[in-house]
């Protein structure tokens, strides 16, 4: 436990300090042992050390070590209890659990401690949110990622299920051990331990310099989500009335992540950590991610008071998705299906393609056509404007995506004589007659030249290039609102 402010920095007594160092070292050794246990068991088995005669003495040593660590924990407790600063902190924490008044929360925010002890600030079943949203998700999770039911005649036979069982078991084991940690390295305890000083500094900066407010949200699956809210609504900048919800990458934390870009641009910002990252509990599987995002949005609307039209989702990266995982494992257990989820969204979208991205390219960063952001754009446009993105439109958009500079992009627009005013008039006329819901049938009675013009116009409005690598923060001047009619 530390205090947020330097002038009241918590100073542990000698007994607590040394005991805490021993327990921290034991925790690191346990994590190393946990991750290396498969190799250790294999080695011990090959050497014949797993016989009963050798396991029993080892269990005695392990039991003695556990008793010693329990004694060290008791000594740490005694050291804390004899420290007036710690007793003051405990008094404030207990008072906040009993009564979450604004004054108690303000005093508690002065301390940085194990987030498990932080009181829950928002529950997914809060009456105000459930009543207005028509019930919300069940305890099993939001419906967004539930698998579609099988149609009649598509069910597997018993023999096929038995044949698939070994692969399914292997996929499950890979996904829940190595796979999850490869997909979300930020959930690895050792990495979090190494980054902890940096995370604490970033958190203190958000609280002290930006008047950030930390909150714990309880999702419908029982996971506790660590969030930080910076309110800019009382400033003179109009963008402060908009809330940007920041979704970090697979090794990112709100303390040091993409939250800095909208903050510099003057927006109100809500950052949150994935399940299993820093103060958030659980593991970052797709369903848990959806549940966490659901409670974050509910919190923004019903507790912070932002209207849905004033909320912007800013997401960085899609993670190292194919890093060594077999196709079956990814599809069954770690499928984030970004394009499918994006197509279900009816609002405005802006994709930022990093032209030197070394993570989500399938060949080399210089090969811009191997950037997976291209596929995301094409699938979005094909869903929203299927007639425009027929063969001619798809071909010309692919040519535009191959452009590696603004000069080449302008050359393609000039070659196809794209008239922006005409494109806007066509789209606005269709929207006025048919409504805003996608997909649109605009372009079905249009010639090839017209569809190509519309396709290029829409591609440029939905994707902007940013000449940078994967982990380069987006400058505030590049943080723009998505285009809409």
């Amino acid at each position: 436990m530390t205090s947020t402010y330097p002038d009241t920095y918590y100073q542990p007594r000698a007994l607590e300090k040394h005991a805490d160092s021993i327990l921290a070292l034991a925790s690191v050794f346990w994590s190393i042992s946990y991750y290396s246990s498969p190799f250790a068991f294999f080695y011990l088995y090959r050497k014949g050390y797993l016989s009963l005669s050798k396991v029993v003495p080892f269990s005695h040593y392990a039991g003695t070590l556990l008793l010693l660590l329990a004694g060290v924990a008791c000594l740490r407790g005694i050291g804390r209890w004899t420290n007036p600063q710690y007793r003051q902190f405990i008094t404030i924490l207990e008072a906040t659990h009993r009564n979450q008044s604004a004054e108690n929360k303000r005093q508690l925010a002065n301390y940085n401690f194990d987030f498990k002890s932080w009181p829950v600030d928002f529950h997914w079943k809060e009456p105000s949110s459930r009543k207005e949203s028509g019930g919300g998700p069940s305890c099993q999770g939001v419906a967004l990622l539930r698998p579609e039911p099988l149609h009649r005649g598509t069910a597997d036979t018993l023999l096929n299920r038995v044949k698939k069982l070994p692969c399914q078991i292997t996929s499950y084991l890979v996904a829940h051990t190595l796979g999850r940690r490869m997909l979300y390295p930020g959930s690895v305890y050792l990495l979090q331990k190494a980054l902890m000083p940096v995370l604490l500094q970033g958190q203190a900066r958000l609280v002290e310099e930006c008047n950030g407010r930390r909150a714990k949200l309880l999702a419908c699956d029982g996971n506790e989500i660590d969030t930080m809210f910076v309110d800019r609504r009382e400033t003179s900048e109009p963008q402060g009335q908009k809330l940007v919800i920041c979704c970090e990458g697979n090794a990112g934390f709100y303390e040091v992540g993409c939250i800095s870009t909208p903050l510099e641009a003057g927006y109100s910002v809500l950052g949150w950590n994935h399940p299993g990252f820093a103060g958030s509990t659980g593991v970052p599987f797709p369903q848990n991610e959806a549940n966490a995002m659901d409670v974050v949005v509910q919190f923004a609307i019903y507790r912070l008071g932002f209207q849905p039209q004033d909320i912007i989702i800013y997401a960085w990266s899609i993670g190292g998705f194919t890093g060594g995982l077999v196709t079956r494992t990814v599809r069954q257990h770690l499928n984030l299906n970004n394009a499918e989820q994006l197509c279900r969204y009816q609002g405005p979208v802006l994709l930022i393609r990093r032209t030197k991205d070394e993570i989500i390219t399938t060949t080399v960063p210089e090969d811009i056509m191997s950037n997976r952001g291209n596929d995301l754009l094409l699938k979005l446009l094909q869903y929203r404007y299927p007639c425009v993105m027929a063969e001619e439109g798809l071909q010309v958009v692919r040519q535009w995506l191959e452009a590696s500079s603004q000069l080449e992009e302008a050359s393609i627009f000039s070659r196809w004589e794209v008239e922006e005013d005409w494109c806007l008039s066509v789209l606005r006329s269709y929207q006025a007659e048919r409504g805003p819901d996608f997909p649109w049938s605009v372009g079905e009675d249009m010639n090839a030249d017209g569809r190509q013009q519309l396709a290029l116009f829409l591609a440029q409005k939905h994707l902007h290039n940013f000449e940078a690598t994967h982990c380069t923060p987006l400058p505030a001047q590049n943080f723009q609102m998505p285009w809409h009619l």
Side-chain angles (χ1 to χ4, degrees), residues 167-181:
C167 291
Q168 290 175 344
I169 293 175
T170 303
S171 297
Y172 180 88
L173 292 175
V174 170
H176 285 76
T177 53
L178 182 64
R180 187 256 295 177
R181 291 168 177 83

Side-chain angles (χ1 to χ4, degrees), residues 162-172 328-329 332-333:
V162 172
K163 289 180 178 179
K164 293 178 180 179
L165 189 59
C167 291
Q168 290 175 344
I169 293 175
T170 303
S171 297
Y172 180 88
R328 175 187 294 273
T329 301
Q332 290 189 0
H333 302 286

Side-chain angles (χ1 to χ4, degrees), residues 2 62 84 127 152 218 248 251 308 347 355 385 400 411 415-416:
T2 60
R152 182 176 298 178
L218 185 64
E248 302 293 342
T355 57
Y385 311 98
W400 177 76
S411 174
R415 186 192 317 163
W416 296 102

Side-chain angles (χ1 to χ4, degrees), residues 122-124 130 137-145 184 215-228 245-248 254 270-277 279-301 313:
F122 183 82
H123 195 286
W124 71 280
R130 295 304 112 196
S138 68
C139 297
Q140 298 177 350
V142 297
L144 185 64
L145 291 176
Y184 283 99
K216 176 189 283 188
L217 317 183
L218 185 64
C220 60
D221 51 16
N223 288 336
E224 298 170 347
I225 307 303
D226 183 7
T227 68
M228 180 69 73
I245 299 179
C246 296
C247 305
E248 302 293 342
Y254 74 69
L270 177 59
W272 62 284
N273 281 328
H274 298 285
F277 282 50
S280 297
T281 63
V283 290
F285 281 110
Q287 183 63 64
N288 295 352
E289 290 282 308
N291 297 338
M293 191 62 193
D294 172 75
V295 75
V296 168
V297 173
Q298 298 289 346
F299 175 68
I301 296 173
I313 307 298

Side-chain angles (χ1 to χ4, degrees), residues 256-374:
V256 291
C258 63
I259 193 174
S260 60
T261 297
L263 278 178
E264 291 178 11
Y267 291 88
S268 295
V269 177
L270 177 59
W272 62 284
N273 281 328
H274 298 285
F277 282 50
S280 297
T281 63
V283 290
F285 281 110
Q287 183 63 64
N288 295 352
E289 290 282 308
N291 297 338
M293 191 62 193
D294 172 75
V295 75
V296 168
V297 173
Q298 298 289 346
F299 175 68
I301 296 173
Y302 298 107
R303 177 61 62 83
L304 301 181
F306 286 90
Q307 297 299 316
Q309 62 268 23
D310 294 327
I311 296 177
I312 302 148
I313 307 298
Y314 174 43
W316 185 334
S317 172
I318 61 171
F321 202 67
T322 57
L325 298 177
V326 295
T327 302
R328 175 187 294 273
T329 301
V330 171
R331 288 179 176 174
Q332 290 189 0
H333 302 286
L334 299 170
N335 187 9
L336 302 181
N337 49 37
N338 296 315
E340 179 186 346
Q341 305 297 355
L342 185 60
C343 290
R344 294 183 182 184
Y345 176 62
Q346 291 285 320
V349 173
L350 175 62
L351 302 175
I352 306 295
R353 182 177 67 167
R354 295 166 181 268
T355 57
K356 297 181 180 179
D357 200 307
E358 73 280 14
I359 300 298
I360 62 170
T361 49
T362 55
T363 56
V364 293
E366 291 75 20
D367 182 11
I368 198 168
M369 280 306 292
S370 70
N371 189 302
R372 301 300 294 173
N374 301 335

Side-chain angles (χ1 to χ4, degrees), residues 180-480:
R180 187 256 295 177
R181 291 168 177 83
M182 292 181 66
L183 185 62
Y184 283 99
S187 65
V188 177
Y189 173 78
L190 291 176
L191 176 61
Q192 294 184 30
K193 194 73 174 177
L195 291 175
M196 190 54 63
V198 178
L199 298 182
L200 292 177
Q201 290 177 7
Q203 194 177 102
R205 180 185 62 83
L206 290 171
V207 172
E208 296 173 25
E209 299 178 10
C210 305
N211 296 319
R213 302 204 304 264
R214 199 178 185 191
K216 176 189 283 188
L217 317 183
L218 185 64
C220 60
D221 51 16
N223 288 336
E224 298 170 347
I225 307 303
D226 183 7
T227 68
M228 180 69 73
F229 171 56
V230 177
D231 195 351
R232 296 281 181 79
R233 285 175 288 190
E234 296 182 358
T235 63
S236 59
E237 300 179 6
Q239 58 265 40
Q241 304 302 315
K242 301 278 188 181
L243 177 69
V244 178
I245 299 179
C246 296
C247 305
E248 302 293 342
N250 62 341
F253 303 83
Y254 74 69
E255 292 88 344
V256 291
C258 63
I259 193 174
S260 60
T261 297
L263 278 178
E264 291 178 11
Y267 291 88
S268 295
V269 177
L270 177 59
W272 62 284
N273 281 328
H274 298 285
F277 282 50
S280 297
T281 63
V283 290
F285 281 110
Q287 183 63 64
N288 295 352
E289 290 282 308
N291 297 338
M293 191 62 193
D294 172 75
V295 75
V296 168
V297 173
Q298 298 289 346
F299 175 68
I301 296 173
Y302 298 107
R303 177 61 62 83
L304 301 181
F306 286 90
Q307 297 299 316
Q309 62 268 23
D310 294 327
I311 296 177
I312 302 148
I313 307 298
Y314 174 43
W316 185 334
S317 172
I318 61 171
F321 202 67
T322 57
L325 298 177
V326 295
T327 302
R328 175 187 294 273
T329 301
V330 171
R331 288 179 176 174
Q332 290 189 0
H333 302 286
L334 299 170
N335 187 9
L336 302 181
N337 49 37
N338 296 315
E340 179 186 346
Q341 305 297 355
L342 185 60
C343 290
R344 294 183 182 184
Y345 176 62
Q346 291 285 320
V349 173
L350 175 62
L351 302 175
I352 306 295
R353 182 177 67 167
R354 295 166 181 268
T355 57
K356 297 181 180 179
D357 200 307
E358 73 280 14
I359 300 298
I360 62 170
T361 49
T362 55
T363 56
V364 293
E366 291 75 20
D367 182 11
I368 198 168
M369 280 306 292
S370 70
N371 189 302
R372 301 300 294 173
N374 301 335
D375 301 89
L376 207 55
L377 174 70
L378 292 175
K379 289 179 180 178
L380 177 66
L381 294 181
Q382 285 176 315
Y383 171 77
R384 291 189 170 189
Y385 311 98
C387 297
V388 172
M389 292 299 292
E391 183 176 351
E392 303 91 347
L394 182 62
Q395 181 180 4
V396 75
V397 171
R398 288 187 183 277
Q399 292 179 12
W400 177 76
L401 288 172
E402 289 180 7
S404 57
S405 66
Q406 292 183 351
L407 185 62
E408 291 183 21
E409 290 182 18
S411 174
I412 293 174
F413 260 65
S414 176
R415 186 192 317 163
W416 296 102
E417 301 178 346
V418 178
E419 299 179 13
E420 294 199 8
D421 292 338
W422 175 79
C423 294
L424 281 172
S425 66
V426 170
L427 294 173
R428 285 170 177 164
S429 298
Y430 180 92
Q431 185 183 51
E433 293 178 6
R434 307 285 185 89
D437 294 340
F438 297 107
W440 287 10
S441 58
V442 62
E444 59 183 347
D445 299 325
M446 196 176 291
N447 59 31
D449 290 341
R451 287 197 295 269
Q452 288 170 334
Q453 282 195 53
L454 270 179
L456 279 174
F457 174 80
L458 290 168
Q460 186 190 47
K461 294 298 183 183
H462 285 82
L463 184 142
H464 291 176
N465 284 328
F466 174 45
E467 189 175 351
T469 57
H470 186 78
C471 294
T472 304
L474 185 71
Q477 62 267 23
N478 290 77
F479 188 83
Q480 303 172 10

